[in-house]
Amino acid sequence: MRLIERLLYPRLELNDQKLYDEVTGKTIVITGASSGIGEQLVKVLAKSDCHLILAARRLERLASLQQSLHKERAHIDVYGVDLREEVSREQFVDFARNVSPQIDVLVHCAGHSIRRPVRESTSRMHDFTRTMAINYFAPVHLTLSFLPELEESGGT
Ligand SMILES: NC(=O)c1ccc[n+]([C@@H]2O[C@H](COP(=O)([O-])OP(=O)(O)OC[C@H]3O[C@@H](n4cnc5c(N)ncnc54)[C@H](OP(=O)(O)O)[C@@H]3O)[C@@H](O)[C@H]2O)c1
């Protein structure tokens, strides 16, 4: 790589130890933890002494992730929930509060993409309603619900 490129586009190096130090002692809620980005994040954070509260619909996948990480440092709680449902979201918030009065970080990884050409979607408005429920209303509802805890802990 040429010098000018290195100056303009410095390589982004992740410092794992800095991350572990940052999250030590924190309680972190992660939605969409049963696969994809959320699952990968759990595997990274589990190496530090933190408390992870995981949510997704496939409880069996969350439980197997929890089991596979039982020798790591994090304490992990799991909860099976369809976050498109308002009442279910409230039950999840109650669960999280029950296992930890302190919430420091909220990470919304649960989400869905409609991978269908728009011309094949003319009679599928329900897909958009469901997608808004998980991609928009769920993060808004959870953020509003956990805001007092996040403010209390100075979290994010
Ligand atoms: N991967 C990428 O490069 C990328 C790039 C840009 C944007 N995104 C977006 O980021 C989000 C996550 O991507 P990903 O690659 O990690 O996708 P993924 O592997 O499909 O994971 C989605 C996660 O969301 C959970 N989820 C979906 N619907 C849910 C519901 N109704 N209630 C509770 N949890 C639900 C899934 O768990 P259950 O099925 O067990 O419920 C799963 O854990 C998606 O919205 C995706 O479109 C991804």
Side-chain angles (χ1 to χ4, degrees):
M1 189 185 269
R2 289 185 319 174
L3 177 64
I4 185 71
E5 285 174 343
R6 268 190 276 160
L7 289 172
L8 286 174
Y9 310 109
R11 270 179 58 187
L12 184 64
E13 304 265 354
L14 290 179
N15 181 333
D16 288 350
Q17 192 53 52
K18 203 169 160 195
L19 175 67
Y20 302 148
D21 292 346
E22 194 65 39
V23 299
T24 292
K26 302 256 167 87
T27 299
I28 303 167
V29 173
I30 305 174
T31 71
S34 61
S35 65
I37 300 167
E39 181 184 15
Q40 295 310 311
L41 178 65
V42 171
K43 288 179 180 172
V44 172
L45 295 181
K47 295 181 195 309
S48 81
D49 191 4
C50 62
H51 181 186
L52 303 176
I53 303 173
L54 314 182
R57 288 167 300 182
R58 290 169 292 174
L59 180 58
E60 69 290 351
R61 282 192 67 120
L62 294 178
S64 120
L65 179 63
Q66 180 188 38
Q67 173 59 26
S68 72
L69 298 171
H70 78 279
K71 289 196 174 136
E72 300 287 2
R73 302 187 69 198
H75 173 73
I76 301 179
D77 283 304
V78 298
Y79 190 82
V81 60
D82 187 340
L83 290 169
R84 291 173 303 189
E85 307 294 334
E86 188 171 340
V87 173
S88 307
R89 294 195 290 260
E90 282 162 2
Q91 289 166 346
F92 171 57
V93 171
D94 288 345
F95 169 81
R97 287 195 175 128
N98 223 16
V99 294
S100 174
Q102 166 196 339
I103 307 285
D104 300 282
V105 182
L106 177 55
V107 188
H108 306 284
C109 294
H112 178 71
S113 273
I114 303 173
R115 298 189 183 92
R116 180 177 293 107
V118 74
R119 284 196 183 81
E120 292 171 26
S121 298
T122 50
S123 59
R124 299 190 61 92
M125 185 56 204
H126 55 278
D127 282 346
F128 295 85
T129 306
R130 287 183 197 148
T131 304
M132 283 299 281
I134 186 61
N135 289 6
Y136 182 69
F137 292 116
V140 169
H141 190 175
L142 295 182
T143 303
L144 293 177
S145 301
F146 287 122
L147 206 54
E149 285 88 349
L150 292 170
E151 281 191 324
E152 172 81 20
S153 65
T156 45

